[in-house]
Amino acid sequence: MAPGKKIFGIVLAGGEGKRLMPLTADRAKPAVPFGGQYRLIDFALSNLINSQLRQIVVLTQYKSHSLDRHVSQTWRLDGITNSYIASVPAQQRLGKRWFSGSADAILQSLNLLRDEKPDIVVVVGADHVYRMDFGQMIEAHIASGAPATVAAIRQPIALADQFGVIEVEPERPDRIGAFREKPRDPIGLPDSPEEVLASMGNYVFDADALIDAVVRDGDRPDSNHDMGGDIIPDFVARGEAAVYDFNNNDVPGSTDRDRYYWRDVGTIDSFFEAHQDLISALPIFNLYNNSWPIFSQVLNSPPAKIVRDGRGALGTTIDSIVSLGSVISGAHLERSVLGPWAKVDSGAKVVDSVVFERAVIEPNAFVGRAILDKDVVVAEGAQIGVDPARDKARGFTVTDSGITVVGKGVHVVP
Ligand code: ADQ
């Protein structure tokens, strides 16, 4: 990858993730558990590490304790070389203010770039599920000659207001002609009116150009200091932004089903659906591709156990993921993802659900179409996710599509 060039990685991990409440009530969005034993940030960091980046900083701010702990415990690059993944909290280096946006996070962290003096900086978000070889994007960036490159993927036009939308130059399809952040009046692609070309929130910059851009942006009183809203449009206005088509990215070991898989799991519905993508019989996203591993915490815990209960009732599990330390005893789990150390007891049923670490489903309880945060207890005989109106009345979050979310540590009673 880019011989002779020094590459530095920045992971933007300071966002609040309001649309994932209550899962983000107590933790930053990149620290939200995903797929049992992972955290959302593991996907971005695995991609960077598999792409051979070895100097990576994670810029944190909002409720960063569990994120910092995860990064420092799980993502240690040992050795005598100058390799690291460092979690860097907001430090008010430029006066008494926190990061006002993702570009301000980089501006306030310029000391890191000035210390390392990289040639190229890869800037990525921390809240998507995907595999991507940034080496291939860096090669395309260098070949294009542009100082900034934005990774892009086609998305349904109905989602345009969640993304930066790219229009390419008709004459030069590798250059961005226009970029609008979260437009309410999107225009479909000429060859596919129901789709737009969306920014994935992943960028490659020449280091000098990035530094100049965030410094210039810092002086603009009208700016929100946001990468997608301010920095990228600034490069585009100067005709200096290239686009990198994610469909040109070929990750080793990927299958036809998951080669172009990319999910923004910013809402409860998309978070829930991405879990279903993991557990379908032919998974749409394959966690078992060892050529491009998704790394996660090493759990010091016993294996998962699925057994009969004391009275001989079977413990059964179909189309599900069960994390280490979990016990399913005389209970049934179906189309669900169980986090570490979870417990499902005699006669209980968990169907179409996502259950986080250490949750307990007591005997004869029923959980359906629900997300249970860490340490939730569903008491004996209680039901959750069966009657959305009742769940709402009980104070739980229920999405329009009928998924009930139970916040950390809550006891659900019958
Ligand atoms: P959003 O995800 O809506 O859109 P944003 O909320 O800025 O943009 O989050 C981007 C990343 O930056 C996230 O990983 C977030 O945690 C982090 N972040 C946000 N505020 C931060 C701050 N103050 N300090 C540090 N980190 C912060 C972005 C782009 C769109 C693109 C979508 C793709 O702006 O153009 O289409 O990502 O999902």
Side-chain angles (χ1 to χ4, degrees):
M1 176 186 67
K5 299 276 188 198
K6 185 166 172 180
I7 321 273
F8 189 80
I10 296 180
V11 181
L12 299 168
E16 266 186 67
K18 283 197 194 96
R19 291 172 302 158
L20 271 183
M21 284 292 270
L23 305 178
T24 46
D26 202 31
R27 50 169 96 79
K29 180 167 153 190
V32 171
F34 185 84
Q37 71 198 51
Y38 302 88
R39 305 283 187 134
L40 284 179
I41 196 173
D42 293 336
F43 293 85
L45 287 175
S46 296
N47 286 327
L48 293 172
I49 286 296
N50 289 328
S51 303
Q52 305 305 323
L53 272 82
R54 290 294 178 269
Q55 295 181 332
I56 299 167
V57 292
V58 178
L59 303 184
T60 69
Q61 162 158 279
Y62 172 83
K63 293 188 176 158
S64 59
H65 171 64
S66 97
L67 180 59
D68 286 337
R69 198 181 46 195
H70 175 68
V71 170
S72 57
Q73 286 182 350
T74 299
W75 289 93
R76 286 195 311 263
L77 301 183
D78 293 325
I80 53 170
T81 55
N82 189 19
S83 299
Y84 55 84
I85 297 177
S87 170
V88 182
Q91 299 169 65
Q92 303 201 344
R93 281 174 177 267
L94 300 178
K96 285 201 181 304
R97 62 184 170 86
W98 300 112
F99 299 155
S100 56
S102 49
D104 188 42
I106 297 180
L107 178 68
Q108 293 202 38
S109 310
L110 282 186
N111 58 308
L112 304 166
L113 291 178
R114 292 191 167 125
D115 286 349
E116 291 294 357
K117 300 186 179 50
D119 301 298
I120 287 178
V121 184
V122 179
V123 178
V124 303
D127 34 30
H128 299 105
V129 177
Y130 67 118
R131 282 193 169 83
M132 181 167 177
D133 181 356
F134 286 102
Q136 294 172 34
M137 181 173 171
I138 292 166
E139 279 167 19
H141 168 81
I142 294 170
S144 81
T149 301
V150 181
I153 186 169
R154 287 175 179 231
Q155 290 289 293
I157 196 165
L159 301 179
D161 63 355
Q162 299 180 23
F163 296 121
V165 172
I166 294 170
E167 286 169 40
V168 297
E169 294 254 20
E171 308 293 307
R172 292 195 60 186
D174 68 328
R175 288 292 163 131
I176 302 179
F179 185 98
R180 290 194 298 152
E181 182 73 354
K182 302 175 183 158
R184 299 212 168 269
D185 54 347
I187 303 161
L189 287 167
D191 66 349
S192 176
E194 289 309 304
E195 290 183 311
V196 292
L197 191 58
S199 159
M200 298 165 69
N202 292 340
Y203 318 104
V204 175
F205 297 98
D206 290 353
D208 295 347
L210 174 63
I211 294 172
D212 286 352
V214 294
V215 168
R216 225 179 11 250
D217 177 74
D219 291 334
R220 280 179 33 208
D222 58 330
S223 173
N224 290 320
H225 312 300
D226 182 47
M227 291 302 289
D230 303 288
I231 300 295
I232 298 302
D234 188 39
F235 277 100
V236 171
R238 281 179 280 121
E240 291 185 343
V243 60
Y244 176 73
D245 187 345
F246 183 57
N247 281 354
N248 293 333
N249 202 267
D250 199 0
V251 167
S254 49
T255 63
D256 286 347
R257 291 177 72 85
D258 79 352
R259 180 158 294 127
Y260 308 121
Y261 187 91
W262 179 82
R263 288 290 182 280
D264 179 0
V265 284
T267 63
I268 292 292
D269 283 334
S270 61
F271 180 82
F272 182 85
E273 281 158 20
H275 278 88
Q276 297 298 319
D277 292 342
L278 295 181
I279 54 182
S280 50
L282 284 170
I284 303 168
F285 186 77
N286 176 18
L287 285 171
Y288 305 88
N289 172 3
N290 281 333
S291 309
W292 196 270
I294 305 299
F295 302 103
S296 80
Q297 57 184 324
V298 177
L299 291 165
N300 190 355
S301 58
K305 182 165 93 164
I306 300 157
V307 290
R308 289 168 210 263
D309 64 10
R311 281 172 296 148
L314 287 180
T316 48
T317 298
I318 308 171
D319 295 338
S320 297
I321 287 175
V322 183
S323 303
L324 289 177
S326 291
V327 180
I328 299 170
S329 167
H332 181 68
L333 185 72
E334 190 162 338
R335 291 186 304 278
S336 295
V337 175
L338 210 55
W341 299 100
K343 206 160 176 282
V344 191
D345 254 331
S346 300
K349 274 195 178 141
V350 178
V351 181
D352 295 319
S353 292
V354 179
V355 176
F356 286 6
E357 189 175 343
R358 288 200 318 238
V360 178
I361 325 296
E362 292 186 349
N364 301 318
F366 182 87
V367 179
R369 275 179 82 70
I371 300 173
L372 310 184
D373 203 334
K374 185 173 170 178
D375 291 327
V376 163
V377 176
V378 183
E380 183 159 1
Q383 296 198 329
I384 190 86
V386 178
D387 179 349
R390 178 167 177 247
D391 287 349
K392 230 181 227 172
R394 289 194 284 179
F396 300 124
T397 301
V398 181
T399 67
D400 292 344
S401 66
I403 295 158
T404 301
V405 191
V406 182
K408 198 167 165 180
V410 169
H411 280 235
V412 180
V413 290

